[in-house]
Amino acid sequence: MRILITGGAGFLGSHLSDRLIEQGNEVICLDNFFTGRKANIQHLLGNPRFELVRHDVIDPFKFEVDRIYNLACPASPPHYQYNPIKTMKTSVVGAINCLGLAKRVKARVFQASTSEVYGDPTVHPQQEAYWGNVNPIGLRSCYDEGKRAAETLFFDYHRENGVDIRVIRIFNTYGPRMLADDGRVVSNFIVQALQGKDLTVYGEGSQTRSFCYVDDLVDGFMRFMEQEKIVGPMNLGNPGEFTMLQLAELVIKKVAGKSKITHLPLPADDPKQRQPDITLAKSTLGWEPKVQLEQGIEKTIAYFKSALAK
Ligand code: NAD
Ligand code: UDP
Protein backbone atom coordinates (compact mmCIF):
# COMPACT_ATOMS: atom_id res chain seq x y z
CA MET A 1 0.00 0.00 0.00
CA ARG A 2 0.95 3.64 -0.35
CA ILE A 3 0.62 5.28 3.05
CA LEU A 4 0.73 8.94 4.06
CA ILE A 5 1.92 9.72 7.59
CA THR A 6 1.45 13.33 8.70
CA GLY A 7 3.92 14.12 11.48
CA GLY A 8 6.01 11.22 10.15
CA ALA A 9 9.33 12.71 11.29
CA GLY A 10 8.20 12.89 14.92
CA PHE A 11 8.67 10.39 17.73
CA LEU A 12 5.74 8.07 16.98
CA GLY A 13 5.60 8.81 13.23
CA SER A 14 9.20 7.76 12.64
CA HIS A 15 8.71 4.41 14.42
CA LEU A 16 5.50 3.85 12.45
CA SER A 17 7.36 4.67 9.20
CA ASP A 18 9.98 2.03 10.05
CA ARG A 19 7.39 -0.66 10.68
CA LEU A 20 5.29 0.09 7.61
CA ILE A 21 8.35 0.08 5.36
CA GLU A 22 9.56 -3.19 6.89
CA GLN A 23 6.20 -4.67 5.88
CA GLY A 24 6.80 -3.68 2.24
CA ASN A 25 4.60 -0.57 2.05
CA GLU A 26 5.47 2.79 0.49
CA VAL A 27 5.49 5.66 2.97
CA ILE A 28 5.08 9.37 2.29
CA CYS A 29 6.16 11.31 5.37
CA LEU A 30 4.69 14.82 5.58
CA ASP A 31 6.10 17.06 8.30
CA ASN A 32 6.78 20.73 9.01
CA PHE A 33 9.60 19.82 11.45
CA PHE A 34 8.14 21.79 14.35
CA THR A 35 9.00 18.99 16.79
CA GLY A 36 10.09 16.36 14.28
CA ARG A 37 13.67 15.88 13.09
CA LYS A 38 15.39 14.63 9.98
CA ALA A 39 17.59 12.54 12.30
CA ASN A 40 14.53 10.40 13.16
CA ILE A 41 14.09 9.33 9.53
CA GLN A 42 17.66 9.80 8.23
CA HIS A 43 18.09 6.03 7.86
CA LEU A 44 15.03 5.89 5.56
CA LEU A 45 16.02 8.73 3.22
CA GLY A 46 17.78 6.52 0.63
CA ASN A 47 14.99 3.96 0.63
CA PRO A 48 13.03 3.95 -2.67
CA ARG A 49 9.85 3.20 -0.71
CA PHE A 50 10.20 6.31 1.46
CA GLU A 51 9.46 9.93 0.48
CA LEU A 52 9.83 13.00 2.67
CA VAL A 53 7.69 16.10 2.07
CA ARG A 54 8.22 19.29 4.08
CA HIS A 55 4.70 20.64 4.37
CA ASP A 56 2.28 22.00 6.94
CA VAL A 57 -0.98 20.05 7.46
CA ILE A 58 -2.93 23.28 7.69
CA ASP A 59 -2.18 23.90 3.98
CA PRO A 60 -4.07 21.56 1.62
CA PHE A 61 -2.23 18.61 0.06
CA LYS A 62 -3.00 15.88 -2.46
CA PHE A 63 -1.49 12.40 -2.70
CA GLU A 64 -2.81 9.19 -4.25
CA VAL A 65 -2.72 6.98 -1.16
CA ASP A 66 -4.54 3.98 0.33
CA ARG A 67 -4.04 4.90 3.99
CA ILE A 68 -3.52 8.13 5.94
CA TYR A 69 -2.18 8.19 9.49
CA ASN A 70 -2.77 11.70 10.88
CA LEU A 71 -0.15 12.22 13.58
CA ALA A 72 0.83 15.84 12.93
CA CYS A 73 0.53 17.83 16.16
CA PRO A 74 3.02 18.71 18.89
CA ALA A 75 2.36 16.35 21.81
CA SER A 76 4.35 17.76 24.71
CA PRO A 77 2.69 20.49 26.85
CA PRO A 78 5.54 23.07 26.45
CA HIS A 79 5.50 22.58 22.67
CA TYR A 80 1.74 22.65 22.17
CA GLN A 81 1.42 25.67 24.48
CA TYR A 82 4.23 27.54 22.65
CA ASN A 83 1.78 28.69 19.96
CA PRO A 84 -1.66 27.53 21.13
CA ILE A 85 -3.58 29.02 18.21
CA LYS A 86 -1.35 27.14 15.78
CA THR A 87 -1.88 23.94 17.80
CA MET A 88 -5.65 24.28 17.48
CA LYS A 89 -5.32 24.97 13.73
CA THR A 90 -3.03 21.97 13.29
CA SER A 91 -5.57 19.67 14.93
CA VAL A 92 -8.71 21.07 13.34
CA VAL A 93 -7.59 22.22 9.88
CA GLY A 94 -5.15 19.29 9.68
CA ALA A 95 -8.04 16.89 10.34
CA ILE A 96 -10.19 18.60 7.69
CA ASN A 97 -7.38 18.35 5.14
CA CYS A 98 -6.76 14.65 5.90
CA LEU A 99 -10.48 13.85 5.80
CA GLY A 100 -10.98 15.80 2.57
CA LEU A 101 -8.15 13.88 0.96
CA ALA A 102 -9.45 10.55 2.29
CA LYS A 103 -12.88 11.32 0.86
CA ARG A 104 -11.45 12.27 -2.51
CA VAL A 105 -9.10 9.29 -2.98
CA LYS A 106 -11.18 6.82 -0.90
CA ALA A 107 -8.35 6.20 1.55
CA ARG A 108 -8.81 4.90 5.08
CA VAL A 109 -7.82 7.64 7.54
CA PHE A 110 -6.50 7.22 11.10
CA GLN A 111 -6.58 9.90 13.77
CA ALA A 112 -4.01 9.96 16.57
CA SER A 113 -6.30 11.22 19.30
CA THR A 114 -5.35 11.29 22.94
CA SER A 115 -6.25 10.45 26.51
CA GLU A 116 -6.35 14.26 26.95
CA VAL A 117 -9.90 14.14 25.55
CA TYR A 118 -10.79 12.80 29.02
CA GLY A 119 -9.21 15.91 30.65
CA ASP A 120 -8.85 15.58 34.43
CA PRO A 121 -11.00 12.45 34.59
CA THR A 122 -13.64 11.83 37.22
CA VAL A 123 -14.00 8.22 36.05
CA HIS A 124 -11.11 5.84 36.64
CA PRO A 125 -9.81 3.96 34.71
CA GLN A 126 -11.02 5.70 31.57
CA GLN A 127 -13.27 3.78 29.18
CA GLU A 128 -14.05 4.97 25.66
CA ALA A 129 -17.67 5.72 26.66
CA TYR A 130 -16.54 8.40 29.15
CA TRP A 131 -17.09 11.93 27.77
CA GLY A 132 -14.35 13.56 29.78
CA ASN A 133 -13.81 16.53 32.06
CA VAL A 134 -11.99 19.16 30.00
CA ASN A 135 -11.47 22.84 30.79
CA PRO A 136 -12.42 24.61 27.52
CA ILE A 137 -10.46 27.82 28.26
CA GLY A 138 -7.29 26.71 30.06
CA LEU A 139 -3.66 26.40 28.98
CA ARG A 140 -4.10 22.78 27.87
CA SER A 141 -7.34 23.49 25.97
CA CYS A 142 -5.66 24.25 22.63
CA TYR A 143 -4.54 20.62 22.57
CA ASP A 144 -7.43 18.92 24.39
CA GLU A 145 -10.21 20.76 22.61
CA GLY A 146 -8.34 20.67 19.29
CA LYS A 147 -8.17 16.88 19.53
CA ARG A 148 -11.82 16.67 20.63
CA ALA A 149 -12.89 18.80 17.65
CA ALA A 150 -10.80 16.58 15.37
CA GLU A 151 -12.64 13.50 16.69
CA THR A 152 -15.95 15.28 15.98
CA LEU A 153 -14.84 15.98 12.40
CA PHE A 154 -13.76 12.38 11.90
CA PHE A 155 -17.15 11.05 13.02
CA ASP A 156 -19.08 13.67 10.98
CA TYR A 157 -17.12 12.86 7.79
CA HIS A 158 -17.80 9.19 8.53
CA ARG A 159 -21.56 9.66 9.04
CA GLU A 160 -22.08 12.31 6.34
CA ASN A 161 -19.64 11.19 3.67
CA GLY A 162 -18.95 7.55 4.43
CA VAL A 163 -15.24 8.22 4.99
CA ASP A 164 -13.51 5.11 6.33
CA ILE A 165 -12.09 6.30 9.66
CA ARG A 166 -10.12 4.83 12.56
CA VAL A 167 -9.82 6.90 15.75
CA ILE A 168 -7.44 5.91 18.50
CA ARG A 169 -6.92 7.54 21.92
CA ILE A 170 -3.27 7.27 22.86
CA PHE A 171 -2.17 7.30 26.51
CA ASN A 172 1.31 8.53 27.49
CA THR A 173 3.86 6.78 25.30
CA TYR A 174 7.65 6.94 25.58
CA GLY A 175 10.80 5.51 24.04
CA PRO A 176 13.78 6.23 21.80
CA ARG A 177 13.60 9.34 19.55
CA MET A 178 11.73 11.50 22.02
CA LEU A 179 13.39 14.91 22.00
CA ALA A 180 15.85 15.43 24.85
CA ASP A 181 14.28 18.85 25.50
CA ASP A 182 10.78 17.70 24.71
CA GLY A 183 9.41 18.58 28.16
CA ARG A 184 7.52 15.33 28.69
CA VAL A 185 8.14 13.57 31.94
CA VAL A 186 9.98 10.42 30.82
CA SER A 187 12.49 12.27 28.64
CA ASN A 188 12.91 15.03 31.24
CA PHE A 189 13.67 12.59 34.06
CA ILE A 190 16.04 10.41 32.03
CA VAL A 191 18.00 13.34 30.60
CA GLN A 192 18.19 15.00 34.03
CA ALA A 193 19.42 11.76 35.63
CA LEU A 194 22.02 11.14 32.91
CA GLN A 195 23.30 14.71 33.31
CA GLY A 196 23.53 14.29 37.10
CA LYS A 197 20.87 16.95 37.66
CA ASP A 198 18.01 16.70 40.11
CA LEU A 199 14.74 15.33 38.74
CA THR A 200 11.99 17.96 38.56
CA VAL A 201 8.80 16.48 39.99
CA TYR A 202 5.90 18.89 39.50
CA GLY A 203 3.71 19.26 42.59
CA GLU A 204 3.96 16.53 45.21
CA GLY A 205 4.34 13.88 42.53
CA SER A 206 1.22 11.97 43.56
CA GLN A 207 -0.43 12.47 40.15
CA THR A 208 -0.47 9.27 38.09
CA ARG A 209 0.12 8.33 34.47
CA SER A 210 0.22 5.01 32.61
CA PHE A 211 3.22 4.66 30.31
CA CYS A 212 3.27 2.62 27.11
CA TYR A 213 6.50 1.69 25.30
CA VAL A 214 6.54 2.89 21.70
CA ASP A 215 6.89 -0.56 20.05
CA ASP A 216 3.73 -1.80 21.74
CA LEU A 217 1.80 1.29 20.70
CA VAL A 218 2.88 1.14 17.05
CA ASP A 219 1.89 -2.52 16.93
CA GLY A 220 -1.57 -1.48 18.20
CA PHE A 221 -1.78 1.30 15.57
CA MET A 222 -1.20 -1.11 12.71
CA ARG A 223 -3.56 -3.80 14.01
CA PHE A 224 -6.29 -1.22 14.53
CA MET A 225 -5.83 0.36 11.10
CA GLU A 226 -6.15 -2.98 9.30
CA GLN A 227 -9.11 -4.48 11.20
CA GLU A 228 -12.62 -4.11 9.80
CA LYS A 229 -14.74 -4.49 12.96
CA ILE A 230 -14.81 -1.02 14.49
CA VAL A 231 -13.88 2.57 13.67
CA GLY A 232 -13.22 3.59 17.28
CA PRO A 233 -12.62 5.52 19.37
CA MET A 234 -10.31 2.97 20.97
CA ASN A 235 -7.95 3.45 23.90
CA LEU A 236 -4.37 2.30 23.40
CA GLY A 237 -1.95 2.41 26.29
CA ASN A 238 -0.36 0.43 29.07
CA PRO A 239 -2.67 0.08 32.10
CA GLY A 240 0.28 -0.03 34.55
CA GLU A 241 -0.31 3.14 36.62
CA PHE A 242 2.50 5.00 38.43
CA THR A 243 2.85 8.22 40.40
CA MET A 244 5.44 10.71 39.14
CA LEU A 245 7.42 10.10 42.33
CA GLN A 246 7.55 6.37 41.58
CA LEU A 247 8.70 7.13 38.05
CA ALA A 248 11.41 9.49 39.32
CA GLU A 249 12.64 6.87 41.81
CA LEU A 250 12.72 4.20 39.10
CA VAL A 251 14.75 6.41 36.75
CA ILE A 252 17.22 7.34 39.52
CA LYS A 253 17.65 3.65 40.38
CA LYS A 254 18.19 2.61 36.74
CA VAL A 255 20.64 5.41 35.91
CA ALA A 256 22.42 4.83 39.23
CA GLY A 257 23.72 8.41 39.35
CA LYS A 258 23.75 11.06 42.07
CA SER A 259 20.48 12.80 41.22
CA LYS A 260 17.90 13.63 43.84
CA ILE A 261 14.32 14.78 43.52
CA THR A 262 13.38 18.45 43.52
CA HIS A 263 9.78 19.74 43.46
CA LEU A 264 8.51 22.47 41.11
CA PRO A 265 4.98 23.95 40.96
CA LEU A 266 2.27 21.80 39.40
CA PRO A 267 1.19 23.20 35.99
CA ALA A 268 -2.43 24.41 35.65
CA ASP A 269 -5.07 21.76 34.88
CA ASP A 270 -2.56 18.91 35.23
CA PRO A 271 -4.70 15.72 35.32
CA LYS A 272 -4.49 13.98 38.70
CA GLN A 273 -4.83 10.44 37.41
CA ARG A 274 -4.85 8.59 34.15
CA GLN A 275 -5.16 4.90 33.31
CA PRO A 276 -6.58 3.34 30.16
CA ASP A 277 -9.23 0.67 30.22
CA ILE A 278 -8.03 -1.45 27.27
CA THR A 279 -10.80 -4.06 27.31
CA LEU A 280 -11.90 -2.97 23.82
CA ALA A 281 -8.39 -3.21 22.34
CA LYS A 282 -7.87 -6.62 23.93
CA SER A 283 -11.14 -8.05 22.63
CA THR A 284 -11.04 -6.46 19.16
CA LEU A 285 -7.33 -6.59 18.32
CA GLY A 286 -6.08 -9.28 20.67
CA TRP A 287 -3.63 -6.53 21.68
CA GLU A 288 -2.04 -5.74 24.98
CA PRO A 289 1.30 -4.15 25.84
CA LYS A 290 4.23 -6.51 26.31
CA VAL A 291 6.95 -4.15 27.52
CA GLN A 292 6.78 -3.35 31.22
CA LEU A 293 7.86 0.07 32.50
CA GLU A 294 11.17 -1.05 33.98
CA GLN A 295 12.26 -2.72 30.73
CA GLY A 296 11.08 0.20 28.57
CA ILE A 297 12.86 2.71 30.79
CA GLU A 298 16.10 0.72 30.42
CA LYS A 299 15.82 0.81 26.61
CA THR A 300 15.04 4.53 26.67
CA ILE A 301 17.98 5.26 28.99
CA ALA A 302 20.26 3.38 26.57
CA TYR A 303 18.96 5.53 23.69
CA PHE A 304 19.47 8.84 25.52
CA LYS A 305 22.96 7.79 26.70
CA SER A 306 24.05 7.40 23.11
CA ALA A 307 22.04 10.42 21.81
CA LEU A 308 23.53 12.75 24.44
CA ALA A 309 27.05 11.50 23.73
CA LYS A 310 26.79 12.65 20.06
P1 NAD B 1 6.01 14.61 18.18
O1 NAD B 1 5.94 16.02 18.60
O2 NAD B 1 7.30 13.90 18.26
O3 NAD B 1 5.48 14.43 16.69
C1 NAD B 1 4.58 15.29 16.06
C2 NAD B 1 5.05 15.51 14.64
O4 NAD B 1 4.11 16.37 13.97
C3 NAD B 1 6.40 16.21 14.57
O5 NAD B 1 7.22 15.56 13.63
C4 NAD B 1 6.04 17.63 14.15
O6 NAD B 1 7.09 18.28 13.46
C5 NAD B 1 4.82 17.36 13.29
N1 NAD B 1 3.94 18.54 13.17
C6 NAD B 1 3.48 19.33 14.15
N2 NAD B 1 2.68 20.29 13.65
C7 NAD B 1 2.62 20.08 12.30
C8 NAD B 1 1.99 20.73 11.22
N3 NAD B 1 1.22 21.82 11.44
N4 NAD B 1 2.17 20.27 9.97
C9 NAD B 1 2.96 19.18 9.75
N5 NAD B 1 3.61 18.52 10.73
C10 NAD B 1 3.43 18.98 11.99
O7 NAD B 1 4.89 13.85 19.04
P2 NAD B 1 4.48 12.31 19.08
O8 NAD B 1 4.60 11.87 20.48
O9 NAD B 1 5.17 11.55 18.01
O10 NAD B 1 2.93 12.41 18.77
C11 NAD B 1 2.38 12.07 17.50
C12 NAD B 1 0.87 12.18 17.56
O11 NAD B 1 0.35 11.30 18.58
C13 NAD B 1 0.38 13.58 17.91
O12 NAD B 1 -0.77 13.86 17.15
C14 NAD B 1 0.02 13.48 19.38
O13 NAD B 1 -1.00 14.38 19.73
C15 NAD B 1 -0.46 12.04 19.47
N6 NAD B 1 -0.31 11.53 20.84
C16 NAD B 1 0.92 11.20 21.33
C17 NAD B 1 1.03 10.75 22.65
C18 NAD B 1 2.34 10.34 23.24
O14 NAD B 1 2.39 10.02 24.44
N7 NAD B 1 3.44 10.27 22.51
C19 NAD B 1 -0.12 10.66 23.46
C20 NAD B 1 -1.34 11.04 22.92
C21 NAD B 1 -1.43 11.46 21.62
N1 UDP C 1 5.96 16.15 35.06
C1 UDP C 1 6.88 16.22 36.11
N2 UDP C 1 8.14 16.66 35.81
C2 UDP C 1 8.54 16.98 34.56
C3 UDP C 1 7.61 16.89 33.49
C4 UDP C 1 6.32 16.48 33.79
O1 UDP C 1 6.56 15.93 37.26
O2 UDP C 1 9.72 17.35 34.40
C5 UDP C 1 4.60 15.66 35.36
C6 UDP C 1 3.47 16.50 34.80
O3 UDP C 1 3.12 17.53 35.71
C7 UDP C 1 2.38 15.46 34.63
C8 UDP C 1 3.13 14.18 34.31
O4 UDP C 1 4.47 14.41 34.73
O5 UDP C 1 1.67 15.29 35.84
C9 UDP C 1 3.12 13.82 32.82
O6 UDP C 1 3.55 14.96 32.11
P1 UDP C 1 3.76 14.94 30.52
O7 UDP C 1 4.02 16.35 30.13
O8 UDP C 1 4.77 13.92 30.18
O9 UDP C 1 2.39 14.41 29.94
P2 UDP C 1 0.84 14.80 30.17
O10 UDP C 1 0.72 15.74 31.34
O11 UDP C 1 0.43 15.44 28.91
O12 UDP C 1 0.21 13.52 30.46
Side-chain angles (χ1 to χ4, degrees):
M1 282 192 278
R2 188 176 300 144
I3 302 176
L4 172 65
I5 307 178
T6 75
F11 162 49
L12 297 179
S14 63
H15 286 279
L16 178 63
S17 297
D18 284 346
R19 292 285 302 279
L20 290 171
I21 289 202
E22 261 168 42
Q23 280 194 342
N25 300 292
E26 283 179 32
V27 168
I28 301 172
C29 163
L30 179 153
D31 207 295
N32 73 349
F33 294 108
F34 176 48
T35 51
R37 286 175 301 170
K38 282 210 184 119
N40 287 345
I41 38 127
Q42 190 81 42
H43 57 288
L44 296 174
L45 287 177
N47 190 315
R49 283 189 273 111
F50 182 80
E51 272 177 80
L52 176 62
V53 181
R54 181 188 281 268
H55 189 86
D56 198 302
V57 276
I58 72 170
D59 299 321
F61 44 87
K62 280 188 220 157
F63 300 99
E64 286 293 331
V65 288
D66 309 293
R67 298 281 186 266
I68 304 166
Y69 284 89
N70 184 32
L71 270 57
C73 187
S76 124
H79 285 132
Y80 69 64
Q81 290 169 20
Y82 170 76
N83 185 346
I85 297 166
K86 175 70 194 247
T87 299
M88 179 67 99
K89 280 189 190 165
T90 294
S91 275
V92 175
V93 183
I96 292 172
N97 285 333
C98 287
L99 288 158
L101 176 64
K103 180 179 165 191
R104 188 185 174 124
V105 301
K106 299 194 169 39
R108 180 173 294 174
V109 59
F110 171 110
Q111 169 65 0
S113 190
T114 166
S115 53
E116 286 287 319
V117 301
Y118 302 123
D120 191 4
T122 54
V123 168
H124 194 74
Q126 293 77 55
Q127 290 181 335
E128 290 84 353
Y130 177 49
W131 289 356
N133 177 34
V134 175
N135 176 358
I137 56 166
L139 294 177
R140 294 174 85 101
S141 312
C142 59
Y143 183 75
D144 300 10
E145 296 289 18
K147 289 284 187 178
R148 286 171 68 95
E151 285 199 11
T152 307
L153 284 160
F154 266 70
F155 278 85
D156 281 333
Y157 268 78
H158 178 60
R159 282 185 291 257
E160 295 292 310
N161 300 113
V163 172
D164 190 12
I165 62 164
R166 298 289 183 274
V167 175
I168 219 126
R169 292 179 179 155
I170 307 165
F171 285 65
N172 299 61
T173 300
Y174 68 99
R177 300 191 194 150
M178 293 182 92
L179 288 175
D181 61 353
D182 183 81
R184 284 182 271 188
V185 68
V186 173
S187 43
N188 270 12
F189 284 179
I190 291 179
V191 170
Q192 288 163 344
L194 288 173
Q195 293 177 336
K197 295 179 182 158
D198 289 346
L199 274 60
T200 53
V201 169
Y202 300 162
E204 288 176 9
S206 56
Q207 70 273 35
T208 67
R209 295 291 187 275
S210 304
F211 298 102
C212 187
Y213 189 67
V214 60
D215 292 356
D216 282 331
L217 187 83
V218 168
D219 178 46
F221 274 16
M222 291 162 62
R223 288 186 195 212
F224 180 63
M225 182 64 132
E226 296 310 329
Q227 56 76 39
E228 310 292 331
K229 291 178 231 163
I230 59 167
V231 298
M234 180 188 278
N235 290 338
L236 278 190
N238 190 323
E241 187 185 9
F242 298 85
T243 66
M244 295 312 102
L245 265 185
Q246 286 174 320
L247 178 69
E249 282 158 6
L250 175 66
V251 170
I252 289 173
K253 185 178 96 185
K254 291 286 168 193
V255 169
K258 292 177 299 206
S259 305
K260 298 202 164 35
I261 288 171
T262 178
H263 291 268
L264 292 180
L266 192 66
D269 294 336
D270 199 281
K272 287 184 255 331
Q273 54 181 1
R274 197 184 278 155
Q275 183 189 33
D277 181 324
I278 58 164
T279 310
L280 184 64
K282 276 186 184 165
S283 63
T284 316
L285 311 179
W287 176 90
E288 66 182 314
K290 296 192 182 78
V291 182
Q292 294 314 311
L293 186 65
E294 206 162 321
Q295 207 187 343
I297 289 289
E298 282 168 8
K299 289 171 189 247
T300 313
I301 290 172
Y303 164 77
F304 276 115
K305 252 188 201 161
S306 106
L308 294 174
K310 280 181 191 156

